[in-house]
Amino acid sequence: MTSTVVRAPAKINLGLSVGPLRDDGFHELATVYMALDLHDTVRVSSRDDDQVTVTVQADVQEGDEAVAVPLGPDNLAVRAVELLRTAAGITDGVDLAIRKVIPVAGGMAGGSSDAAAALVGANHVWGLGWDREALADLAAELGSDVPFLLHGGVGIGTGRGEKISPVLSRGRYGFIVAVASEGLSTPSVYAEFDRLEPEPEPPRIAPELMAALRGHDTERLGEHLANDLEAAALSLRPELDRVLQIGVDAGALAGIVSGSGPTCVFLLEDDGDAALLTTALWAAPGCADVIHTHGPAAGARIVS
Ligand code: ATP
């Protein structure tokens, strides 16, 4: 049996601009992704038969979040390996063991990242030798965020978020992530966006955000974090407004809802601010966990 462990990073959207609805039902997006050190791990082990199995272990989240992760064909990591073996014309099976740390349904693309990691791991244990570009084409079929999770670092996503171009970015940034006790479904947040914003402008990324990343200007980055889905997430979860306020009052440079939420992410000026912010956020309404992490991080990578 061959076995490999792949690191699956979380992502945040430093900028997320949502444009008009397309004929295929997706919105036209322009987004700046950053991969974080916060990660799941996916162990991929070969099998002698054609079965694909998945187990999920959650050791950071409180409550029963792991239960919300499907253990059958709907798991995105399972869909990823099924897609890869069909594309490769093989029938080999695989066991997937996911250690879940990324908040589930938290707007941090945990499922998408597990899928990216499963592609990388299965490609390795089956000895397929596909390059990242070939894997990225499959990744786009699995979900809009999956190609970026293969890519990692900082990237601009256009189209529905699946077309990735690299971004020139210097240095590292510290973040505090406030995890909500209950997830938000991405489609429900987009539906609320459509209600609030029936005729959005074409999506655009603020040049100031790109300049801040180029110059490693943390303060400027904080001023230009932007998420068009934030109003919709706040409309569905009004208490998130309070969470954002608590974080900023406790010293964060800026706070933002991550992707479709409900996770809130706070940019630190200095790692020395982390302890105070963590203590304050633990008392925020509906907060289930507070995590200190950094970015950018690599995309889905084999670690052993
Ligand atoms: P999105 O990528 O749609 O923004 P998200 O980041 O908010 O989603 P995820 O944790 O990726 O949230 O999961 C969204 C849903 O996908 C979950 O509620 C779960 O039912 C399903 N899912 C499928 N596979 C996985 C997986 N491996 N990990 C987590 N959720 C998964």
Side-chain angles (χ1 to χ4, degrees):
M1 184 189 76
T2 317
S3 184
T4 192
V5 176
V6 187
R7 185 184 279 229
K11 65 82 186 158
I12 50 175
N13 304 78
L14 301 172
L16 175 54
S17 176
V18 182
L21 199 55
R22 312 190 312 192
D23 291 343
D24 64 3
F26 290 98
H27 285 267
E28 194 68 29
L29 298 185
T31 186
V32 181
Y33 294 109
M34 180 181 278
L36 298 181
D37 287 345
L38 174 68
H39 65 275
D40 292 348
T41 51
V42 180
R43 177 180 287 279
V44 182
S45 309
S46 60
R47 289 178 62 104
D48 292 335
D49 58 19
D50 62 359
Q51 301 295 303
V52 174
T53 73
V54 63
T55 55
V56 177
Q57 179 211 340
D59 60 1
V60 163
Q61 298 253 4
E62 291 200 335
D64 59 355
E65 290 289 359
V67 177
V69 178
L71 292 174
D74 290 340
N75 192 295
L76 263 179
V78 173
R79 287 188 42 215
V81 296
E82 296 280 13
L83 195 63
L84 179 59
R85 70 176 180 173
T86 303
I90 59 169
T91 54
D92 304 34
V94 90
D95 291 323
L96 302 169
I98 302 174
R99 192 168 70 88
K100 202 82 210 146
V101 176
I102 304 172
V104 176
M108 300 190 85
S112 300
S113 197
D114 295 346
L119 286 178
V120 170
N123 181 44
H124 181 74
V125 300
W126 289 334
L128 297 176
W130 284 35
D131 61 20
R132 270 186 191 260
E133 216 164 295
L135 292 179
D137 288 341
L138 282 191
E141 288 183 43
L142 290 160
S144 305
D145 296 339
V146 186
F148 172 71
L149 278 320
L150 279 177
H151 183 280
V154 185
I156 289 190
T158 53
R160 54 184 167 84
E162 87 286 14
K163 293 182 193 143
I164 306 300
S165 16
V167 164
L168 182 59
S169 164
R170 285 202 186 84
R172 303 248 301 157
Y173 298 91
F175 298 95
I176 297 287
V177 175
V179 181
S181 50
E182 214 184 310
L184 261 179
S185 97
T186 305
S188 71
V189 177
Y190 272 101
E192 185 65 0
F193 174 87
D194 291 338
R195 195 180 69 80
L196 297 173
E197 196 76 57
E199 288 181 21
E201 297 289 318
R204 80 180 271 280
I205 296 296
E208 296 88 346
L209 180 61
M210 309 310 291
L213 288 166
R214 269 197 309 277
H216 193 221
D217 186 337
T218 312
E219 202 164 312
R220 195 172 186 200
L221 181 65
E223 283 163 17
H224 292 284
L225 294 179
N227 180 2
D228 281 355
L229 291 180
E230 187 164 291
L234 294 181
S235 166
L236 297 175
R237 273 300 158 74
E239 73 267 26
L240 293 180
D241 207 12
R242 181 86 192 105
V243 178
L244 292 172
Q245 194 57 53
I246 289 173
V248 171
D249 289 348
L253 276 179
I256 195 171
V257 169
S258 174
S260 54
T263 307
C264 292
V265 177
F266 298 91
L267 176 65
L268 296 172
E269 184 175 14
D270 191 281
D271 275 344
D273 300 334
L276 192 62
L277 210 63
T278 302
T279 309
L281 286 166
W282 266 116
C287 185
D289 202 358
V290 183
I291 302 167
H292 182 194
T293 186
H294 296 86
R301 286 285 180 287
I302 291 176
V303 288
S304 70

